[in-house]
Amino acid sequence: MTGIESIRRVPTGISGFDQIALGGLPAGRCALVAGTTGSGKTLFAVEFLARGVQNFDAPGVFVAFEEPPADIRHNVASLGFPITEWEAAGKWTFVDASADIADEAPTIGTYDLGALVARIVHAVRRSGARRVALDSLGEVFSRFSDTGSVRHEMFRIVSALEPLGVTTVLTAERPEEYDGVSRFGVEEFVLDNVIILRNVLRHERRRRTVEIVKFRGAAHRTGEWLFTIGPQEGIVVMPLAFLRPRAQVSTDRVSLGNAVLDRMCGGGVFRDAIALLTGPTGTGKTLTSVFFAAAAVEAGERCLLYTFDETREQLGRTAAGWGIDLDAMEATGLLHVVSEFPEAASPEEHFLRIRRTIDEFAPARVIIDTLSALERIVTSRALLDFVIALGAVLRHGEITTLLTSAPTGRVTPTVTPAIAMEVASLTDVTILLRYAESQGEIQRGIAVLQSRGSDHDHSIRRFTIDSAGMHIGEPMRGPSDVLGSAYGPGGDLPSPVSPGGEGRQQQDRWGPPDPGQSSDD
Amino acid sequence: MVRDPVAYSFTLYVAGPTERSEAARANLRYLCETRVPGCYEIDVVDVTERPELAEEHRVLATPTVIRHTPPPERRVIGDLESQRSVRALGLPDQGGPPQKRQER
């Protein structure tokens, strides 16, 4: 086997999958896609062919064992692909091996799948196909009594296809999640490339993941990756497009809508920045969001404001309290406010909706208030994937973004929300809002924890909120003066320190920004 | 009994000149010779040469024999090495050497 680098890849075109596969499926090989019922195997096979025709002008052959071609045709069309035209043009060919009269036939003596192999080879040659999908094998192999013959027939199919130079996806059923690869337990020994799709019920939510179990001789990313299935998008592997390198970074600055905050961040944030604003309820997250939106409109830029916390009416009333007229801003066409209940959809569906809205509205700025509302419906890991995926879309569009998040308790500022700690490493600017106790009264403090690529103000500043918005004042000085002794002494970078030992661990992860971070990405 | 010369017509699909193909061909011919001598025809299709015929008749496995006449159409998959083939292909029981015991 030659070096890892030399294995040519065939991009599937499936959103995000090629990123985990580091380019795509190994060219000219067969890959097994195994999953339980409803895990998306057929969709994977369908998309592999359809995106091949559409994106790469690669004709495909679909071998239908389980669902008859009419059903598959319907699925392909529902994703918006012109399957009828493709069939007429010879770009898509069905080999119909679905259960029918052939199933009724009694079997006497030994046999093999020679006719099937011949039909597939014929279809590939006639159409000049470069991709083949077989869905799914269990249907046919359940007729074979022993694994020896299953293995032999698998080998036969694979060895007939590989000399043709086609890249093949075979799907197979798995009886249950996390136990063996496939129903017959033999496919993984026959095939060099194995992908598992999972569909697990966890915390009363469906969770779909894709894992590349092996790519013999080819590098790939390991572990389970969250994906979702959109009615129009098909399979979308969530966080991965994030890994796409950015061709260029912006040096253009954007105002956050507050002159002092802009100064604290080093003169506004970069146009392609993702800023995370974190603080407990009532510290001014929505306020900052609304002012950021107003600054966008004032600059003549389109702004999408997504709220998971309030209805559109509530938000309008809140903004009016600070003298901002959201209705008037929306009337200019520059602002688009979307209010959704977190529970109305899964995080993956929310992601797809946001992405669709971004595609349609083409905003220069996006605000999401708050991510924490999504925490109600999802594990933090899934939420992190959501943010990473979102980050990919936002960075790609060079959209200035403000995300907000809250710790769970109103007066427990020492506990930095778990999500914020993880998300902070993905964002460019991190701003902290806190309640602070000073001179016998509760005050609010604001600090910029990091601002990549910029010098930023290291002090914690006092601020007040009134009907004209946020007023940031002088740095807080003196001994620890934040409820629960959240901040370290002096004007140094605040670190969340809780009374227990766990706070110390958090501090390490959260810590002051690593000097290396300012120049990366 | 008077039989039409081609009362029984079969197509046997095989994949290449393999041992299994030969066995199927020999078994089918033997069955016909013993049961319906002189009034059958067997068309052998090698799917590696005529894949479009396999496609048209939706044949997956080889060997597969399809009985076209008399109707209804019948299919049997396998190399026909058992006497159960007689029943499966709808051939008459009489004629040929006595073989009553094999009906399992």
Side-chain angles (χ1 to χ4, degrees):
Chain A
M1 180 139 300
T2 46
I4 279 169
E5 306 305 324
S6 67
I7 292 171
R8 204 168 59 79
R9 304 303 182 100
V10 169
T12 58
I14 294 170
S15 276
F17 178 80
D18 296 328
Q19 280 82 6
I20 23 174
L22 297 181
L25 301 176
R29 303 293 187 85
C30 288
L32 178 75
V33 177
T36 52
T37 307
S39 60
K41 299 184 300 291
T42 301
L43 183 59
F44 192 103
V46 160
E47 276 200 65
F48 172 65
L49 281 207
R51 302 206 180 276
V53 175
Q54 192 175 54
N55 304 352
F56 308 104
D57 199 29
V61 168
F62 196 100
V63 185
F65 292 111
E66 199 152 13
E67 294 177 69
D71 291 5
I72 300 290
R73 215 171 264 135
H74 181 76
N75 291 350
V76 179
S78 73
L79 288 167
F81 296 114
I83 176 83
T84 318
E85 284 170 36
W86 288 351
E87 282 192 81
K91 290 180 176 173
W92 181 298
T93 308
F94 277 109
V95 171
D96 182 2
S98 59
D100 191 36
I101 38 175
D103 254 11
E104 310 279 322
T107 60
I108 294 169
T110 62
Y111 62 99
D112 53 50
L113 294 182
L116 173 65
V117 172
R119 286 167 63 184
I120 298 171
V121 169
H122 175 61
V124 168
R125 289 216 172 105
R126 197 182 48 195
S127 66
R130 305 217 307 269
R131 299 181 179 210
V132 174
L134 299 99
D135 178 64
S136 82
L137 293 174
E139 180 72 30
V140 165
F141 290 135
S142 55
R143 298 183 210 163
F144 288 79
S145 50
D146 65 302
T147 52
S149 56
V150 176
R151 189 189 300 250
H152 187 257
E153 290 309 301
M154 286 289 296
F155 181 72
R156 195 177 156 91
I157 290 174
V158 169
S159 57
L161 288 169
E162 292 197 342
L164 299 174
V166 295
T167 306
T168 305
V169 165
L170 303 103
T171 69
E173 291 83 12
R174 303 179 69 219
E176 55 191 296
E177 307 293 353
Y178 303 105
D179 183 29
V181 168
S182 73
R183 187 164 165 186
F184 298 98
V186 296
E187 288 91 331
E188 66 263 47
F189 300 114
V190 178
L191 294 166
D192 286 345
N193 310 305
V194 176
I195 296 156
I196 291 187
L197 303 181
R198 291 191 177 88
N199 181 14
V200 189
L201 196 61
R202 199 174 283 167
H203 301 299
E204 297 160 28
R205 292 266 161 191
R206 282 270 154 221
R207 182 179 155 86
R208 296 178 181 279
T209 62
V210 53
E211 179 186 10
I212 296 175
V213 178
K214 66 175 182 183
F215 259 18
R216 189 158 295 171
H220 62 87
R221 293 188 189 281
T222 55
E224 289 183 43
W225 300 86
L226 197 69
F227 75 94
T228 184
I229 294 176
Q232 298 146 39
E233 294 87 350
I235 292 173
V236 180
V237 183
M238 290 289 289
L240 290 154
F242 187 70
L243 304 166
R244 183 169 34 189
R246 255 184 297 173
Q248 56 191 40
V249 292
S250 178
T251 51
D252 199 11
R253 298 270 186 175
V254 171
S255 168
L256 287 167
N258 182 305
V260 183
L261 185 55
D262 285 345
R263 277 205 301 280
M264 289 176 74
C265 294
V269 297
F270 287 120
R271 183 165 294 283
D272 56 1
I274 297 176
L276 175 69
L277 178 69
T278 168
T281 307
T283 43
K285 293 188 301 296
T286 303
L287 173 78
T288 310
S289 302
V290 165
F291 274 82
F292 182 53
V297 172
E298 200 168 307
E301 291 182 359
R302 300 165 83 84
C303 178
L304 173 65
L305 172 53
Y306 233 89
T307 175
F308 288 113
D309 267 1
E310 295 179 289
T311 64
R312 171 66 183 80
E313 291 69 28
Q314 283 172 328
L315 187 67
R317 192 182 57 200
T318 309
W322 298 311
I324 288 180
D325 188 343
L326 288 185
D327 294 337
M329 279 158 59
E330 277 203 297
T332 65
L334 291 173
L335 177 69
H336 181 38
V337 182
V338 178
S339 168
E340 292 211 58
F341 288 107
E343 288 82 0
S346 72
E348 299 92 271
E349 286 159 356
H350 280 304
F351 167 74
L352 290 183
R353 285 184 199 180
I354 293 172
R355 196 174 78 158
R356 248 175 254 149
T357 312
I358 288 173
D359 280 350
E360 287 160 17
F361 185 62
R365 306 190 193 188
V366 168
I367 301 158
I368 296 181
D369 183 42
T370 67
L371 287 179
S372 308
L374 290 174
E375 258 184 314
R376 295 207 295 267
I377 60 164
V378 75
T379 61
S380 2
R381 164 68 214 208
L383 189 53
L384 192 60
D385 285 343
F386 171 86
V387 175
I388 296 171
L390 194 62
V393 172
L394 296 166
R395 286 182 198 278
H396 187 66
E398 216 178 67
I399 297 168
T400 321
T401 306
L402 182 67
L403 308 174
T404 71
S405 90
T408 44
R410 176 184 290 252
V411 286
T412 52
T414 54
V415 183
T416 302
I419 174 69
M421 295 216 285
E422 300 287 352
V423 169
S425 64
L426 303 169
T427 57
D428 304 293
V429 179
T430 310
I431 303 164
L432 199 67
L433 302 177
R434 285 291 186 265
Y435 287 112
E437 185 188 276
S438 179
Q439 291 147 21
E441 53 183 45
I442 288 175
Q443 301 190 335
R444 294 182 176 91
I446 183 168
V448 175
L449 292 195
Q450 72 163 344
S451 185
R452 280 186 198 175
S454 311
D455 281 335
H456 65 90
D457 186 349
H458 285 222
S459 55
I460 305 162
R461 290 176 181 270
R462 202 169 268 130
F463 72 94
T464 57
I465 294 174
D466 63 20
S467 62
M470 178 189 280
H471 306 280
I472 302 173
E474 293 305 304
M476 291 176 165
R477 294 289 177 197
S480 173
D481 57 0
V482 172
L483 276 183
S485 62
Y487 294 170
D492 205 356
L493 279 170
S495 305
V497 180
S498 63
E502 78 186 280
R504 295 246 63 97
Q505 288 174 347
Q506 285 180 348
Q507 186 176 18
D508 290 340
R509 293 167 68 196
W510 167 260
D514 165 5
Q517 277 186 341
S518 55
S519 58
D520 71 7
D521 196 10
Chain B
M1 188 185 285
V2 180
R3 291 192 181 110
D4 184 316
V6 286
Y8 290 86
S9 88
F10 302 96
T11 305
L12 175 66
Y13 292 87
V14 296
T18 64
E19 221 170 273
R20 186 174 283 159
S21 302
E22 285 313 307
R25 195 191 296 236
N27 286 337
L28 181 60
R29 199 168 295 279
Y30 174 77
L31 285 167
C32 290
E33 279 300 326
T34 53
R35 306 300 165 132
V36 288
C39 57
Y40 68 91
E41 67 180 16
I42 298 170
D43 186 14
V44 178
V45 171
D46 183 341
V47 295
T48 60
E49 285 164 12
R50 306 288 305 277
E52 70 284 356
L53 288 178
E55 184 64 41
E56 188 185 328
H57 295 280
R58 305 184 65 206
V59 176
L60 287 189
T62 41
T64 291
V65 59
I66 301 178
R67 190 190 79 179
H68 301 291
T69 57
E73 185 182 280
R74 288 192 184 206
R75 286 183 183 223
V76 176
I77 291 169
D79 62 10
L80 310 175
E81 69 180 5
S82 156
Q83 286 298 335
R84 286 191 296 132
S85 310
V86 175
R87 268 248 175 108
L89 289 170
L91 293 169
D93 276 344
Q94 85 278 24
Q99 292 174 326
K100 296 299 176 195
R101 289 188 302 131
Q102 82 291 342
E103 297 288 353
R104 293 181 303 185

